[in-house]
Amino acid sequence: MPKNCNTCKFTILACLYSSFWSVYGQTWTPILVKEVTSLGPQYSPDVTNVSRDGGYSVLINGHILWLYDDTECMDLEGNQLSFVSNSAAYADRPNENISSVADFNTAHVGEDASGRERFAIVADTDVGTEGWIRYGADELDFNAEMTRKERVAIWPGTSPTPFSTTQAFLFAPLVYVDPRPQDPSGKYNARGMTLVSITAPSSGPVATRQVELGIPGTEVGFGGFATLLGSASTDKSEKREKSEPDIYLLGMANGGLQIARVGLNKIETFHEYEHFNPKDGSFSSKAPNLNLDDETQIYLPGTFSSGTVFYSPYFTTFIMIYFNKMVDSTFYIRYLNIDAPIEIDNIWITGGKSGQGIEAEDVEALVKYAWSPQQTLYVSPPGPGGYNYAGMAHPEYFNRQYFSKSLYPKGTPENKRKNGWYGSGLITEAEAGGDGKFLLLSWTSQLGGGPDAGIYEVQLALLEFDEIPAGPDGTTTPPSSRPQKPTNKDIFLKENGSGSALASLLNQSNTFFSLIFPIVCVAGIEGLLF
């Protein structure tokens, strides 16, 4: 439990009746949550009053950088002082006060009617002209021509990905929206994805657009949900450099998440991307249709609006924490199950890579193992607007293994390949019980106004995972399971053959089987039917 924290506390048990789930007759180990503590809103002492949404983060060069979407500064009387399409700030006191951030490019904009000084981020109220991620010339021309009709917005959309301990990159969505600041949880017309490189000097974060429009809006927005950098994939073709690190990019399509990969040196060239085909586990140059609804052709079917995918040293596997599109203010979680290889493979076998588990560099595992079933992690308390959005996790806090070991400079001793501990004002490293047992969550809450003129703020909460439950054999291991198991119908047909009249009927009707099988089992007369 955090020290000196007088906020309300929520205790959640992720599985109410058992330490294990039963899915299709198979056991799944759940993730248990011990406690969630509300930390209240983020705030910036550098501006008078700010309304912004998003809240994405990355650790680089010893700084925790926070990114935001539409950002509007106001005075204490509600008068607009400035508006930018996106903004960035440093966590200025990550150990003393986890909620405080320091903004840059602020300006003094006079006094209000009561004589109080006013400060804002970039003193410009023209929507569509400014942002930490800068507009290109054609976008500025469009926004000028379409004043009060439509604008191009640049929203970070997800957390950046480090490619060293001092640099990161980001695929940020470009969208056509109403010219006024409005609810970003809605659906907007996509212009595409822009590739941004990020550095973090002490003078303030710097964003540089490497490719203004890298992925067109007619394609899946790869990287817009999450991007992970890993070691070279084991199944590279002869045309690809064998030692080049691979980037795996997850994008939101209409039917769920799709995934693609590309070598780090080819990240700027979309036609070099390889796209995953879930039907046979292969990669090809053919990009999936954005509007696919066939679940067999979708990497992870479902509904997603924001999320974080990261390697958890506590669970020793990859974790996905996300919001869906159901405006239910709920964080959901899945884990990559290394006991569930999707297909026969000589390397990616039960128990991880060569049976030795997986590490943060083993991003290829995302296409070699199955994800666990969706589980509710935490229901965030909605603000006056009725629901929250932009739910994210921030694994750089309470975790000295945020960077994969390969990101450190060559020659760095093994025991030095650890980043600093952030969040010690709440939980010290000695109290934490291991890297990643505690996790910072954030979401955007609407404080007032309508969907076209709302006031928004980023809220924080501290989540503590419970101890990992013991397995059926009494051992304590990270969550493990095996999905895509045969249904009761499959088991019956395998054990009894398909020659009986009832078996023939089962082959024709899944609905009939789902109705009759429980009755048969309860009556205890299975043998009389065959």
Side-chain angles (χ1 to χ4, degrees), residues 75-237:
D75 63 19
L76 296 177
E77 297 171 348
N79 300 305
Q80 187 188 63
L81 302 178
S82 69
F83 177 87
V84 291
S85 180
N86 56 80
S87 60
Y90 282 159
D92 58 338
R93 292 182 290 161
N95 287 320
E96 294 82 6
N97 189 336
I98 205 169
S99 301
S100 177
V101 296
D103 276 290
F104 296 87
N105 298 323
T106 59
H108 181 263
V109 288
E111 300 177 346
D112 63 15
S114 301
R116 293 169 295 197
E117 291 188 313
R118 304 181 302 180
F119 296 87
I121 303 168
V122 185
D124 191 342
T125 58
D126 290 335
V127 172
T129 60
E130 293 285 358
W132 176 68
I133 303 173
R134 305 302 297 269
Y135 282 107
D138 60 333
E139 294 157 351
L140 289 172
D141 290 343
F142 177 89
N143 287 348
E145 181 181 347
M146 301 297 288
T147 300
R148 297 185 177 86
K149 296 178 184 178
E150 192 175 31
R151 67 178 167 113
V152 174
I154 306 175
W155 292 335
T158 191
S159 291
T161 302
F163 61 90
S164 73
T165 59
T166 60
Q167 296 175 290
F169 65 86
L170 170 73
F171 282 89
L174 308 170
V175 291
Y176 294 104
V177 297
D178 186 281
R180 298 165 294 177
Q182 68 179 112
D183 178 7
S185 66
K187 183 177 177 61
Y188 304 108
N189 293 322
R191 174 177 168 84
M193 308 295 292
T194 183
L195 176 61
V196 183
S197 65
I198 300 170
T199 56
S202 298
S203 56
V206 177
T208 304
R209 290 178 69 177
Q210 300 297 325
V211 182
E212 289 205 358
L213 187 60
I215 303 176
T218 54
E219 303 286 351
V220 174
F222 289 104
F225 185 79
T227 304
L228 294 92
L229 174 63
S231 54
S233 299
T234 60
D235 60 350
K236 282 192 171 184
S237 66

Side-chain angles (χ1 to χ4, degrees), residues 321-341:
I321 293 175
Y322 57 96
F323 267 25
N324 62 23
K325 294 181 180 178
M326 302 304 176
V327 294
D328 58 5
S329 306
T330 300
F331 284 91
Y332 295 97
I333 187 169
R334 297 174 186 257
Y335 60 84
L336 194 69
N337 175 32
I338 62 173
D339 285 334

Side-chain angles (χ1 to χ4, degrees), residues 231-234 338 346-359 361-362 364-365 369:
S231 54
S233 299
T234 60
I338 62 173
N346 293 329
I347 298 174
W348 305 98
I349 62 176
T350 300
K353 191 174 185 179
S354 301
Q356 301 300 309
I358 58 174
E359 298 181 345
E361 288 89 350
D362 295 324
E364 186 182 359
Y369 298 96

Side-chain angles (χ1 to χ4, degrees), residues 12-16 18-19 30-35 314-315 375 377 463-469:
I12 299 175
L13 185 61
C15 189
L16 296 177
S18 172
S19 294
I31 286 179
L32 303 180
V33 175
K34 184 175 182 180
E35 187 174 56
Y314 183 65
F315 294 109
Q375 179 185 344
L377 182 69
L463 180 143
E464 179 184 3
F465 290 108
D466 209 341
E467 302 300 323
I468 299 171

